[in-house]
Amino acid sequence: EVQLVESGGGLVQPGGSLRLACAASGFTLGSHSMNWVRQAPGKGLEWISYIASSTTNKYYADSVKGRFTISRDNARNSLYLQMNSLADEDTAVYYCARLGSGIYLEDAFDIWGQGTVVTVSS
Amino acid sequence: DIQMTQSPSSLSASVGDRVTITCRASQSISHFLNWYQHKSGEVPKLLIYAASRLQSGVPSRFSGSGSGTDFTLTISSLQPEDTATYFCQQSYSSPPYNFGPGTNLEI
């Protein structure tokens, strides 16, 4: 079964750090570009970061640029998000999401993880 | 960045109704528009990609149309399990893959 499973969420104080992981199974992670998306309580979906399959290109939303770092280990079939200088507004469910393959589908998030909850609070 | 808007922000409909949700981009995005369904407590699910292409396994009552700046998601005959929030997403100048604010659909 094609699946993404996130881990690493939890309660952290403002200014703290967390590292999220996303483990892929049922497919080769290295064949896909990957993303992190979050949903704050009562809010919509917010794209926050992208990494190309080759790891060469990385992009971030302005809201996390300079604080979050996306990375991947294709040999371990895993995606990561290092989150530093966390603030209250980073409280959210964090999802990893796969960009599909094939014409047109390569521009859509076809597989999502179940999400991991990050709570930033003192 | 390209900004996405959706209307309505919420709607209530009955089983069997035909429902249309609209998404508008701040500039032309050709056909690079995706629709997702997000049920409370569940994982977001891709419904439509490239404006009108039905993702594998998605019921045929879902359809998408549009190009340029204006797009629609239509559910031809609403079912109880369609209660969810629906998001559009542009993938034209991406990243960033901006989402619309969502439409809450209540059956």
Side-chain angles (χ1 to χ4, degrees):
Chain A
E1 181 188 3
V2 174
Q3 197 173 348
L4 294 168
V5 178
E6 300 94 339
S7 60
L11 175 64
V12 61
Q13 291 188 337
S17 298
L18 274 179
R19 188 192 195 210
L20 306 184
C22 170
S25 59
F27 71 99
T28 301
L29 187 76
S31 298
H32 294 265
S33 297
M34 297 293 296
N35 297 268
W36 287 97
V37 177
R38 69 184 179 183
Q39 185 173 36
K43 302 292 186 180
L45 298 174
E46 178 189 15
W47 170 85
I48 57 172
S49 189
Y50 160 97
I51 185 168
S53 57
S54 63
T55 77
T56 301
N57 295 322
K58 303 176 183 180
Y59 295 90
Y60 302 92
D62 289 344
S63 58
V64 305
K65 198 174 296 181
R67 301 187 300 123
F68 290 12
T69 302
I70 192 171
S71 63
R72 63 193 298 162
D73 185 339
N74 290 337
R76 295 180 180 271
N77 242 24
S78 292
L79 174 74
Y80 305 99
L81 186 68
Q82 176 67 43
M83 305 187 297
N84 298 329
S85 303
L86 285 162
D88 291 350
E89 53 266 30
D90 295 316
T91 294
V93 179
Y94 285 74
Y95 299 96
C96 57
R98 184 184 87 167
L99 277 162
S101 58
I103 189 166
Y104 300 125
L105 196 53
E106 64 189 0
D107 296 308
F109 295 3
D110 67 339
I111 302 294
W112 296 66
Q114 86 289 351
T116 186
V117 178
V118 173
T119 303
V120 184
S121 176
S122 55
Chain B
D1 289 0
I2 297 173
Q3 303 304 313
M4 309 301 294
T5 58
Q6 286 182 237
S7 62
S9 58
S10 65
L11 77 155
S12 180
S14 300
V15 172
D17 283 355
R18 180 183 180 89
V19 167
T20 297
I21 297 170
T22 297
C23 177
R24 176 165 289 174
S26 59
Q27 65 186 73
S28 177
I29 58 171
S30 184
H31 60 272
F32 291 91
L33 191 283
N34 308 313
W35 289 99
Y36 299 87
Q37 176 192 64
H38 193 192
K39 298 182 180 181
S40 180
E42 297 187 14
V43 176
K45 176 183 177 181
L46 176 65
L47 297 176
I48 301 286
Y49 61 98
S52 61
R53 298 175 182 268
L54 192 68
Q55 171 66 337
S56 176
V58 174
S60 59
R61 63 180 181 274
F62 290 92
S63 64
S65 65
S67 67
T69 60
D70 296 315
F71 302 85
T72 58
L73 173 70
T74 299
I75 309 173
S76 61
S77 180
L78 213 53
Q79 298 301 304
E81 61 267 29
D82 298 336
T83 293
T85 302
Y86 293 84
F87 294 94
C88 62
Q89 177 201 40
Q90 71 85 18
S91 58
Y92 176 73
S93 62
S94 299
Y97 292 92
N98 293 336
F99 292 91
T103 295
N104 295 316
L105 174 58
E106 181 182 298
I107 311 299

